[in-house]
Amino acid sequence: MLGDATNWDEDAYRESLYKEREVQTRTVFRTAWAPSLSGCPESIVVASSDGSIASYSIASCISKLHSGYGNTKRQVHFILVSIYLKIWGCKLVLIVYVVPYSSLLAAEPHCFLQGHDGPTYDVKFFDAGDNTLLLSCGDDGHIRGWRWNECTDIEVPIYLQGSHIEPVMDLMNPQYKGPWGALSPIPENNAIATNAQSGSIFSAAGDSCAYCWDLESSKIKMVFKGHSDYLHCIVARNTVNQIITGSEDGTARIWDCKAGKCIQVIDPAKDNKKQKGNFSCVRCIALDASESWLACADGRSFSVWNLPASDFISRTLTRSSMQDMVFCDNQILGVGAEPLLTRFDIHGSILSEIQCAPQSAFSVAVHPSGVAAVGGYGGLVDVISQFGSHLCTFCCQYR
């Protein structure tokens, strides 16, 4: 009978609203392609704002989309249209992007880990052959590692996973004593980098320091001090035993890992700081495969540097803040606070723009085959081929 509230469960209804809101506001902060013996993009690992780490089979997602399988509550049929005006020289050009999406799949992961209390900000693979580790870091100040083969071989149902696989490594940032013995809060880890040859893990922390951890002893080998504000990003330049960090203080710094000292300060916005109020942090950095070219994003622009020559190459203005970048051969792929994957050449000229599902994208990962994965707001991941076609788009779902 309509209007009968005899069996109404207020708590269950409230819980369903909370879960729906959590799914809608979940953010993918990092995507990373899992190692594959075939050389093809088989699975992707996703780090999310709810502290989770989950792996998804790309072949399974594509298969379900083509067969029309999916959670009907999550299935959406729509066409995205974006119109942009650009000025090239003296010409005003109207560019219209029309990207059809047949369905938005609510994908269930193969493996699910509850990695951190608070958001998980980064995931990386530490290549150690059969003992390859899946590493993560987050807002709780921990760096945790799991054996990847245990994650791929797990046979426990997804609803029983979470803490089922124990981490084999758990590192925690140090606390410092203040007046009367009071301990400082544990600083968060915003990004990690690795050097498999030296057995080192590097972290970009919220206390303005970068840390070098020894994997074997699980102890800090070195602390890199010099930034005046918290660190957003870090990359390892392993061929010359260096790391590069980007900070809220507006600079990127190159560090010698033997001496633990800063050997170069890169200030991308130095000229712009002459204008009052125009100050931006270094949100993300990218290093090419040769470790000779560095891209730094600060606010609505990014700059490219030649490291061996210590030369500034180019500076490019962007419509929105760049939130992640990666080199792909001699090109740069970038995502940010708009639903676009943009491909630039080394001088900053736009080569292509592809519409993406996340309205704000926080991560782009490129597989050696050229396939890119873009993750962002709404728990969405968009998998795009090297030719610009959308292989699949899915919403991370596991609860």
Side-chain angles (χ1 to χ4, degrees):
M1 184 176 71
L2 293 177
D4 184 4
T6 304
N7 297 319
W8 175 254
D9 190 335
E10 181 70 23
D11 292 336
Y13 176 68
R14 185 183 296 108
E15 183 67 20
S16 68
L17 291 179
Y18 285 152
K19 285 188 176 182
E20 184 67 21
R21 183 177 299 175
E22 180 189 358
V23 170
Q24 291 175 356
T25 59
R26 183 182 299 144
T27 298
V28 172
F29 282 123
R30 188 67 61 196
T31 52
W33 290 103
S36 168
L37 295 177
S38 68
C40 298
E42 295 178 356
S43 60
I44 191 165
V45 176
V46 172
S48 300
S49 56
D50 59 358
S52 67
I53 304 156
S55 66
Y56 296 86
S57 167
I58 299 304
S60 176
C61 290
I62 294 175
S63 175
K64 289 178 179 178
L65 282 173
H66 287 173
S67 64
Y69 172 83
N71 184 338
T72 54
K73 289 184 179 180
R74 280 291 181 212
Q75 209 166 54
V76 181
H77 299 269
F78 61 95
I79 295 179
L80 293 176
V81 180
S82 296
I83 301 177
Y84 296 104
L85 292 175
K86 283 189 176 180
I87 299 177
W88 286 330
C90 297
K91 296 181 179 179
L92 187 64
V93 181
L94 176 66
I95 303 176
V96 180
Y97 299 94
V98 180
V99 181
Y101 286 88
S102 59
S103 62
L104 187 63
L105 176 69
E108 185 176 280
H110 172 262
C111 178
F112 167 74
L113 304 169
Q114 188 58 49
H116 298 271
D117 295 325
T120 302
Y121 290 132
D122 201 2
V123 286
K124 290 287 190 302
F125 283 94
F126 189 96
D127 188 4
D130 293 337
N131 292 318
T132 293
L133 295 179
L134 170 62
L135 304 177
S136 70
C137 71
D139 194 60
D140 57 6
H142 286 259
I143 301 173
R144 294 191 170 101
W146 293 265
R147 289 192 179 92
W148 179 237
N149 58 8
E150 292 185 10
C151 298
T152 56
D153 296 339
I154 190 170
E155 297 181 355
V156 176
I158 194 67
Y159 63 87
L160 294 177
Q161 295 182 27
S163 58
H164 183 76
I165 303 177
E166 292 291 331
V168 295
M169 182 197 74
D170 192 349
L171 313 175
M172 187 179 73
N173 282 340
Q175 293 174 279
Y176 300 99
K177 284 189 177 182
W180 301 286
L183 289 175
S184 66
I186 302 172
E188 77 276 11
N189 285 313
N190 294 310
I192 50 178
T194 64
N195 185 336
Q197 187 174 357
S198 66
S200 300
I201 301 171
F202 303 96
S203 61
D207 59 358
S208 308
C209 295
Y211 293 93
C212 175
W213 296 84
D214 179 68
L215 181 62
E216 187 174 348
S217 66
S218 297
K219 293 182 179 180
I220 294 176
K221 293 195 292 187
M222 193 169 292
V223 181
F224 304 89
K225 295 182 178 181
H227 283 290
S228 61
D229 213 330
Y230 66 88
L231 307 188
H232 282 285
C233 47
I234 188 168
V235 294
R237 196 180 179 206
N238 293 330
T239 55
V240 289
N241 200 18
Q242 295 174 351
I243 60 169
I244 306 173
T245 54
S247 170
E248 183 73 11
D249 66 14
T251 67
R253 290 175 180 253
I254 302 177
W255 306 83
D256 182 347
C257 292
K258 288 184 178 179
K261 294 182 179 179
C262 176
I263 59 176
Q264 185 179 351
V265 177
I266 295 175
D267 192 347
K270 180 172 61 176
D271 294 334
N272 286 352
K273 286 179 184 176
K274 295 177 182 178
Q275 301 177 13
K276 186 177 180 180
N278 194 1
F279 176 81
S280 298
C281 65
V282 175
R283 179 79 184 243
C284 57
I285 54 180
L287 194 63
D288 80 321
S290 71
E291 299 187 348
S292 299
W293 299 89
L294 177 72
C296 297
D298 59 301
R300 295 189 176 186
S301 67
F302 73 92
S303 55
V304 178
W305 305 74
N306 182 278
L307 296 181
S310 298
D311 281 346
F312 166 80
I313 302 301
S314 65
R315 183 178 185 84
T316 303
L317 299 179
T318 56
R319 286 188 299 269
S320 63
S321 297
M322 195 78 74
Q323 296 176 157
D324 196 23
M325 296 185 299
V326 65
F327 275 87
C328 181
D329 296 327
N330 294 320
Q331 300 172 358
I332 301 168
L333 274 64
V335 296
E338 60 180 346
L340 287 177
L341 170 64
T342 307
R343 189 182 295 268
F344 303 89
D345 67 17
I346 201 71
H347 299 288
S349 298
I350 295 176
L351 301 176
S352 66
E353 291 180 316
I354 301 171
Q355 188 81 43
C356 298
Q359 292 302 299
S360 182
F362 288 88
S363 173
V364 55
V366 177
H367 189 270
S369 65
V371 177
V374 176
Y377 184 75
L380 298 175
V381 176
D382 213 344
V383 182
I384 302 169
S385 78
Q386 62 268 46
F387 305 110
S389 60
H390 295 260
L391 299 179
C392 65
T393 302
F394 63 89
C395 177
C396 302
Q397 183 168 313
Y398 37 79
R399 292 178 181 176

